Amino acid sequence: IWKKPIGGGRASFAILDGRAFTIEQRRQQEVVAAYDVATGRELWTNAWAARFTQWMGGGEGPRATPAVADGHVFALGARGELRCLDAATGRLVWRTNILQDAGAKNLRWGMSGSPLVAGDAVIVLPGGPAGRSVAAYDRRTGKPLWTALDDKQAYVSPMQVTLLGVA
């Protein structure tokens, strides 16, 4: 139907209500962009100064596919920038840096785990020490809700599952 070049990165698209949301590298900025699914037309962008590149097989740009829930887009940049944006306009609702919050170091190929929206929380995996490996933020305000575990981060996304009837 249409074809359109976009910025660098490894993220995919989250699709909702005729809009496709992704995160890209555009020169010295990470950019969350919304596109019209029917036409490919760019609807809005939200950008910040950040450049990530990994010359040894990783390429440039952010890696984590955004999550969409209740009229908001939750995007995680390769250097730990987590943003909540209004899905209709791209307006910034809140932001934080999950690596700074958790006292964690970035991975060689950057933050790659997509945010998980579960109930009132946005869950991410900064991989911080001292009980800050997993972190949850209030999806409306961005305020920290809780942290847990001591595991190092990997190139995975958190998942919500039901095991033996327990969610």
Side-chain angles (χ1 to χ4, degrees):
I1 297 174
W2 55 267
K3 183 177 179 181
K4 178 180 187 77
I6 65 169
R10 300 287 186 266
S12 188
F13 290 85
I15 312 267
L16 182 69
D17 296 333
R19 294 177 181 221
F21 304 95
T22 194
I23 185 169
E24 319 165 13
Q25 187 75 55
R26 295 186 186 177
R27 295 195 169 105
Q28 301 302 317
Q29 294 184 318
E30 287 185 332
V31 178
V32 180
Y35 296 96
D36 182 281
V37 171
T39 66
R41 182 175 62 92
E42 185 176 276
L43 302 171
W44 57 255
T45 62
N46 183 287
W48 60 95
R51 178 165 179 79
F52 187 86
T53 187
Q54 213 305 319
W55 63 271
M56 198 168 83
E60 73 169 358
R63 281 105 164 90
T65 300
V68 183
D70 297 325
H72 293 98
V73 177
F74 301 90
L76 178 62
R79 295 191 178 278
E81 178 81 5
L82 176 63
R83 289 195 170 202
C84 172
L85 308 171
D86 181 278
T89 66
R91 179 186 59 83
L92 178 67
V93 177
W94 57 262
R95 63 149 303 275
T96 193
N97 187 293
I98 69 169
L99 295 174
Q100 292 171 3
D101 292 350
K105 293 183 180 179
N106 204 352
L107 295 167
R108 182 177 193 165
W109 285 285
M111 292 284 97
S112 300
S114 297
L116 170 67
V117 180
D120 289 333
V122 178
I123 301 168
V124 291
L125 305 175
R132 296 177 299 192
S133 178
V134 180
Y137 295 88
D138 184 289
R139 70 181 173 90
R140 291 176 189 87
T141 67
K143 292 184 180 176
L145 294 175
W146 52 262
T147 61
L149 305 176
D150 298 312
D151 301 314
K152 291 182 180 180
Q153 169 55 297
Y155 303 101
V156 299
S157 299
M159 296 184 296
Q160 185 172 1
V161 299
T162 301
L163 297 173
L164 300 173
V166 179

